[in-house]
Amino acid sequence: MSPVEFPEDPEPSERFPAGLLYVPVRSGPSGCTTRFFRTPLGGRTAVGFTSAAKLTATLGTDQACIGLSEPALRALAAPLGVTALTVDPQFSAPATDRTAAKVRERENSWSRWHPQRVGALRVTGAAAVVACLNLLVG
């Protein structure tokens, strides 16, 4: 019986240039700043799209972008500790609605409590303190 030969598993593919990437940016006081995103596990990643249409489909029509090569994007991200690069992500989480968060905060604020309820809590708390003191003093 002859030994069966198995071909070796191929090595993981090496990084290769993705070509021109459309990189999301935001305006800042000193010009455009590259936007970095979070992975589902919370790590930071640079993001690039292979076409403007893919960027628009994922991030919306209002998203500004610049064209960068993959090595240039990595060079911009490296000093900030961002080593991951995501090309053509399929989806992104919607932007947070800050007005809704402020409304929820106001509705749950301590100042919105009914005065009689707050007074009842104060009286109940004071009664409990007096009862404890009576037990200690005897």
Side-chain angles (χ1 to χ4, degrees):
M1 188 178 233
S2 67
V4 178
E5 292 185 27
F6 293 102
E8 289 186 28
D9 290 334
E11 292 295 320
S13 59
E14 294 191 22
R15 293 193 298 201
F16 56 91
L20 180 66
L21 295 174
Y22 294 85
V23 179
V25 296
R26 59 183 168 86
S27 297
S30 59
C32 291
T33 305
T34 306
R35 288 186 61 193
F36 295 104
F37 294 84
R38 296 266 177 198
T39 65
L41 297 176
R44 293 177 69 197
T45 182
V47 173
F49 294 88
T50 54
S51 72
K54 288 181 181 182
L55 182 137
T56 302
T58 304
L59 298 176
T61 57
D62 294 337
Q63 179 60 58
C65 68
I66 59 171
L68 290 175
S69 67
E70 181 258 345
L73 180 55
R74 286 189 186 276
L76 281 173
L80 301 172
V82 180
T83 57
L85 172 62
T86 305
V87 177
D88 290 331
Q90 297 297 316
F91 58 90
S92 65
T96 58
D97 184 4
R98 296 186 191 277
T99 56
K102 286 182 182 178
V103 168
R104 278 194 307 272
E105 185 178 321
R106 272 194 305 254
E107 288 174 352
N108 295 329
S109 172
W110 286 89
S111 64
R112 298 276 303 167
W113 280 26
H114 192 275
Q116 289 179 342
R117 290 185 195 154
V118 173
L121 289 175
R122 286 183 186 158
V123 170
T124 305
V129 169
V130 169
C132 288
L133 288 175
N134 283 339
L135 288 173
L136 290 173
V137 173

